[in-house]
Amino acid sequence: MVELDEWLSGRIDKTKELGLYRKVRTMNSAPFSKMLIDGQRQIVFSSNNYLGLANDRRLVYAAEKILHEFGVGSTGSRLTTGHTDWHQRLEEKIASFKQTENALLFSSGYLANVGVLSSLPEKGDVILSDQLNHASIIDGCRLSKAETLVYNHIDMDDLEKKLKETASYQRRFIVTDGVFSMDGTIAPLDQMISLAKRFHAYLIVDDAHATGVLGENGRGTGEYFGVHPDVVIGTLSKAIGTEGGFVAGSHVLIDFLLNHARTFIFQTAMPPAVCAASYAALEIMEESYTKRQRLFSNVKKIKTRLKEMGYIVKGDLTPIIPVLIGDSKEAVIFAEKLQENGLYVPAIRPPTVPDGESRIRLTVTSDHSSKEIDYLLDCFHFIGKELNMIR
Ligand code: PLP
């Protein structure tokens, strides 16, 4: 028998040969647009901190106060000793922000997706899932006893075709990201809700990247299209700037999940101090119109200028700006050149994206200054020319 490490080293070598090897980088400073990373000063264009709240003093003070009162850990699952006033208050706040009857916290957005999809659809049901849905949706579908059918990315004709083909199933669930994490596209919820109604299907939306970002008040994709999906899943780890996940929906939905979602039942509750910081973030969110305006003006500027330079820039108007490179190794070289010039923007490669679609995935925040954005654009200009990617 081969030693475990020898066998795994062989597998790692193969990953390296394919240009898919990954490693972590260490952040040596607080989450601002400029950070110290592995000891080097870098401008970060890859964080999910869309509204700059992760290091906002109001969140820090809210967490600090509750840390002193409640301690560090929650000590148990929500159904044992882990449920505090702060979990309760935050759930009420999320429900009011998302304009639903109720909400339920999970320890992460990943666990919220897995919890919903592994508990709601039953054997004899079918889940219709967008081709580019997040890994946590895919993993939730894998754990479900229902069958899963994948429809082409935001292709409403294909979704309709698959809804027609699945009439014999007991129940149908359509599941989609609101904003797609690697492509920056927005799911057409207005059309999806019409299809769901017409074919008596339920609509589940993972609003991880849209919460705090899309819609007049940042309530997410539902607000952007003026619709109310049956189940809204979200994370606190992006625009809200903290940690944790949630599901928002009817009282009955939440009661069901509390009793059946294994990733809720068998998980230690979030620390109360994180709940308090998230609560403070949602209060800010309600008046963060100018932050969102700044965010979208940054997005527009970058997308327009990159397209003018000749880059293929995917996606809709969201803070996720994927610049298509194609080959994995070229994407890595591009990211390394950006890093040499003080810009932290990792390359995204398979299996996160399909083969041949490796990309530089920029994310923009409301905190990026015009100077930082101009510098980014200058670097894209000269690196693209140097690597013969643009003319
Ligand atoms: N859903 C989407 C679309 C995401 O991009 C992410 C984040 O990585 C998640 C869910 C998981 O959220 P969390 O980081 O809170 O586990």
Side-chain angles (χ1 to χ4, degrees):
M1 195 177 77
V2 209
E3 290 295 323
L4 181 66
D5 280 357
E6 194 185 328
W7 172 53
L8 294 182
S9 298
R11 291 178 68 180
I12 292 171
D13 288 345
K14 282 199 189 111
T15 312
K16 284 183 179 162
E17 278 162 28
L18 293 169
L20 302 179
Y21 185 66
R22 298 155 199 259
K23 58 184 184 212
V24 293
R25 301 207 191 275
T26 309
M27 309 293 127
N28 314 113
S29 66
F32 287 113
S33 57
K34 280 197 191 68
M35 290 175 72
L36 207 57
I37 303 175
D38 286 335
Q40 268 191 316
R41 247 180 117 58
Q42 305 260 297
I43 308 174
V44 180
F45 277 98
S46 50
S47 130
N48 298 318
N49 188 18
Y50 300 128
L51 301 175
L53 292 178
N55 197 24
D56 187 290
R57 290 297 94 184
R58 291 165 287 183
L59 272 68
V60 174
Y61 294 140
E64 189 185 10
K65 181 168 180 292
I66 302 310
L67 259 183
H68 289 293
E69 279 178 31
F70 280 74
V72 180
S74 67
T75 78
S77 75
R78 292 284 298 288
L79 294 169
T80 57
T81 52
H83 179 66
T84 67
D85 320 14
W86 279 98
H87 294 84
Q88 183 72 37
R89 291 184 68 178
L90 179 57
E91 285 176 342
E92 284 164 13
K93 192 78 179 164
I94 291 170
S96 127
F97 183 65
K98 288 287 185 185
Q99 299 185 314
T100 56
E101 283 176 7
N102 209 343
L104 189 69
L105 286 168
F106 287 72
S107 296
S108 70
Y110 190 104
L111 292 170
N113 273 329
V114 171
V116 167
L117 290 161
S118 61
S119 64
L120 228 58
E122 289 185 307
K123 194 170 165 52
D125 298 343
V126 65
I127 305 170
L128 301 167
S129 176
D130 188 289
Q131 182 191 4
L132 296 189
N133 274 343
H134 187 257
S136 52
I137 293 183
I138 297 170
D139 291 354
C141 291
R142 285 178 181 157
L143 278 174
S144 170
K145 294 200 174 65
E147 275 180 48
T148 302
L149 273 182
V150 174
Y151 61 89
N152 296 334
H153 179 50
I154 56 175
D155 180 342
M156 292 301 102
D157 292 335
D158 193 36
L159 176 59
E160 181 172 349
K161 183 168 156 271
K162 292 205 160 64
L163 281 162
K164 282 182 183 153
E165 287 167 2
T166 51
S168 61
Y169 285 85
Q170 212 166 359
R171 276 168 294 266
R172 286 171 289 179
F173 294 83
I174 303 168
V175 61
T176 183
D177 282 10
V179 169
F180 286 83
S181 54
M182 293 301 137
D183 280 52
T185 34
I186 302 176
L189 285 200
D190 49 347
Q191 296 175 55
M192 296 181 82
I193 212 125
S194 305
L195 283 174
K197 282 196 181 128
R198 211 172 112 210
F199 290 93
H200 308 290
Y202 304 107
L203 182 59
I204 304 175
V205 178
D206 169 11
D207 237 3
H209 292 277
T211 300
V213 171
L214 286 193
E216 180 75 11
N217 302 288
R219 296 188 208 283
T221 324
E223 186 185 33
Y224 182 81
F225 286 108
V227 300
H228 294 277
D230 298 288
V231 183
V232 176
I233 299 166
T235 176
L236 303 169
S237 69
K238 304 196 189 292
I240 292 171
T242 61
E243 286 265 349
F246 62 84
V247 178
S250 69
H251 285 306
V252 177
L253 171 76
I254 298 309
D255 196 24
F256 173 85
L257 291 173
L258 187 144
N259 282 281
H260 292 271
R262 291 169 66 84
T263 55
F264 173 83
I265 300 168
F266 299 105
Q267 254 281 314
T268 296
M270 287 163 61
V274 176
C275 295
S278 311
Y279 186 95
L282 283 167
E283 288 207 308
I284 294 167
M285 200 70 74
E286 281 161 0
E287 51 195 64
S288 60
Y289 185 72
T290 42
K291 271 183 182 284
R292 267 191 301 281
Q293 272 188 325
R294 240 187 358 255
L295 172 65
F296 279 100
S297 121
N298 286 349
V299 171
K300 277 183 201 152
K301 180 170 172 181
I302 295 177
K303 285 198 98 157
T304 310
R305 298 271 296 278
L306 287 175
K307 282 182 188 168
E308 283 167 3
M309 285 181 214
Y311 284 105
I312 300 172
V313 184
K314 291 170 76 97
D316 293 310
L317 205 62
T318 76
I320 298 169
I321 306 181
V323 184
L324 203 64
I325 304 291
D327 179 70
S328 302
K329 288 182 184 148
E330 282 184 18
V332 172
I333 293 170
F334 202 108
E336 281 169 359
K337 295 232 171 246
L338 286 170
Q339 205 186 330
E340 282 163 20
N341 286 283
L343 289 161
Y344 184 54
V345 195
I348 307 289
R349 295 160 284 164
T352 313
V353 292
D355 278 334
E357 289 193 24
S358 289
R359 61 198 66 181
I360 298 295
R361 177 182 175 270
L362 290 164
T363 55
V364 190
T365 73
S366 56
D367 278 4
H368 282 114
S369 66
S370 306
K371 214 170 138 198
E372 288 167 342
I373 288 174
D374 288 342
Y375 180 67
L376 170 88
L377 292 166
D378 285 349
C379 289
F380 262 84
H381 188 71
F382 77 74
I383 295 172
K385 278 185 176 286
E386 192 187 324
L387 297 178
N388 279 328
M389 283 176 186
I390 55 167
R391 280 194 284 147

